[in-house]
Amino acid sequence: MNSALYKDTTVTRGFTYHYYHSPASAGKPTLLFLHGYPSSSYDWHRQVEYFQPQGYGVLVPDCLGSGGTSKPDDPDLFTLVALAQDVADVLDAARVDKAVGIGHDWGSAVLSRLSDLHAERFEGFVWLALAYIPSFATVKGLARLLSPTGDDALGYWRYFADKDAYLECEKNVDSFIQLLYPVTPELWKDWFLPVGKTKEWIEGDRQMGRPHWMTQEEYRTIRDTLARSGLKSPNMYYGTIFSNANAESESKIPRETLAVRRPVLFLAATRDAVCVPAAGKSAMAQYAPHAKVVEIDRGHWLQFEATEQVNKELEAWLGSLGFS
């Protein structure tokens, strides 16, 4: 990604957002890509390299806590409602009236609130791995939205939410990266979901190597970005799960907004142990029954693991909306 196309803006809350922006050619939409944890805008570089030369606008922020964006360390500042407003402010800064929203992981969660509260800014929505999430009042309620068994999702949440977990993650950063970007998706079932196992993995400095779908350059860039940015602020995404502030803001979302009224594409990762496809398809059936659902036989990191298929599915879906 061309470093000259990165800009900075100050959002309403006073935070600086660092974002990549290449304006759209005539007749093309702007694609807004929102990354998850523990990532940065770089996670979308394969999609930027595919769509930007075709004239699509691309807008890719470093989300709060990541890359060149501000890094607060108060979990109450990471509520989904507030993060959605930040992104709306970035759209304003880039002078993008409407976009196609594309989210992955925590970016998918923020995209859900953009759908609820800022739908007029979007031509459509694309969720990767994690589907649309309706507002939730409790931690267990959120867990049930991700996994049919609910509590299975809580192991790594509780570890990353601990106020000192970032210290060990930064110390053993290769172990951290190799757990978050695993050599095989099934590794998460043993080392990510059960309570205590994420802590055991990272404190033991376990390493399994770089996954085959990630180049050495990509690994180095991800590692260098994490080394510069640190993990104290990104871990606040998990701290806010257990924050009363998040539950309070979620409870204020009007119930009538909890239906996606724009075109939707959901790319489900069939080997994702966290964002279980069955739960995602259930959510889509209830809140976006018109969604196009495509199952991809890969793990959580679809934009890396199935780059060609993701790009082609997204391109075909955009074509069905009249963008080609």
Side-chain angles (χ1 to χ4, degrees):
M1 294 167 69
N2 184 351
S3 60
L5 294 181
Y6 274 94
K7 300 176 175 66
D8 294 298
T9 190
T10 301
V11 300
T12 303
R13 295 198 291 163
F15 298 126
T16 296
Y17 266 70
H18 191 58
Y19 65 95
Y20 181 95
H21 183 216
S22 176
S25 299
K28 295 284 190 179
T30 293
L31 309 181
L32 168 70
F33 292 97
L34 300 176
H35 68 80
Y37 176 93
S39 315
S40 70
S41 55
Y42 181 74
D43 260 22
W44 295 109
H45 78 96
R46 296 186 186 183
Q47 285 64 51
V48 170
E49 291 162 5
Y50 185 81
F51 287 101
Q52 184 177 324
Q54 298 185 51
Y56 287 94
V58 289
L59 179 58
V60 198
D62 287 334
C63 294
L64 192 66
S66 304
T69 291
S70 294
K71 299 170 182 63
D73 57 7
D74 179 351
D76 288 354
L77 298 174
F78 286 76
T79 67
L80 295 180
V81 171
L83 294 171
Q85 182 59 58
D86 288 351
V87 174
D89 290 345
V90 173
L91 286 171
D92 289 340
R95 298 183 179 179
V96 174
D97 292 329
K98 282 193 174 184
V100 174
I102 303 162
H104 174 255
D105 193 82
W106 276 100
S108 289
V110 176
L111 190 65
S112 298
R113 290 303 158 269
L114 285 164
S115 172
D116 294 336
L117 302 173
H118 303 276
E120 74 283 356
R121 304 297 299 270
F122 292 90
E123 305 278 5
F125 298 98
V126 182
W127 280 276
L128 275 71
L130 178 60
Y132 169 83
I133 295 179
S135 63
F136 58 91
T138 66
V139 172
K140 289 186 179 294
L142 176 57
R144 285 192 295 271
L145 294 172
L146 294 179
S147 170
T149 55
D151 287 354
D152 287 351
L154 294 177
Y156 70 100
W157 288 5
R158 295 194 181 280
Y159 175 67
F160 292 138
D162 183 274
K163 65 181 180 65
D164 294 324
Y166 77 96
L167 295 170
E168 201 68 34
C169 294
E170 291 176 357
K171 175 185 174 184
N172 296 331
V173 67
D174 287 296
S175 176
F176 172 81
I177 292 170
Q178 291 170 33
L179 177 59
L180 270 292
Y181 298 86
V183 293
T184 176
E186 288 70 30
L187 186 145
W188 278 5
K189 294 179 181 178
D190 295 327
W191 289 100
F192 212 44
L193 300 183
V195 174
K197 298 301 285 186
T198 300
K199 178 182 175 71
E200 180 183 340
W201 173 284
I202 293 173
E203 291 188 352
D205 198 21
R206 294 179 64 94
Q207 298 184 32
M208 297 287 286
R210 170 174 55 88
H212 68 87
W213 41 262
M214 179 183 289
T215 68
Q216 186 62 51
E217 180 182 359
E218 288 171 334
Y219 185 96
R220 183 170 57 251
T221 299
I222 290 169
R223 190 185 194 284
D224 290 348
T225 300
L226 287 175
R228 289 193 304 270
S229 301
L231 284 159
K232 185 175 185 179
S233 185
N235 279 9
M236 296 301 108
Y237 283 91
Y238 293 96
T240 198
I241 290 176
F242 302 95
S243 164
N244 289 332
N246 200 63
E248 181 180 353
S249 65
E250 291 284 301
S251 68
K252 294 178 180 177
I253 298 174
R255 302 303 298 176
E256 60 269 19
T257 69
L258 302 183
V260 186
R261 296 180 174 87
R262 297 289 187 275
V264 172
L265 173 64
F266 174 43
L267 301 180
T270 61
R271 296 172 64 191
D272 191 335
V274 170
C275 302
V276 180
K281 290 191 291 183
S282 176
M284 287 304 189
Q286 182 174 356
Y287 297 101
H290 58 288
K292 179 180 180 182
V293 177
V294 178
E295 293 187 336
I296 299 178
D297 186 25
R298 293 292 187 275
H300 183 70
W301 300 96
L302 289 176
Q303 66 269 55
F304 284 112
E305 297 183 54
T307 303
E308 183 175 357
Q309 186 174 358
V310 166
N311 290 348
K312 291 296 185 183
E313 292 288 355
L314 179 52
E315 183 177 29
W317 179 79
L318 288 167
S320 74
L321 302 185
F323 303 118
S324 59

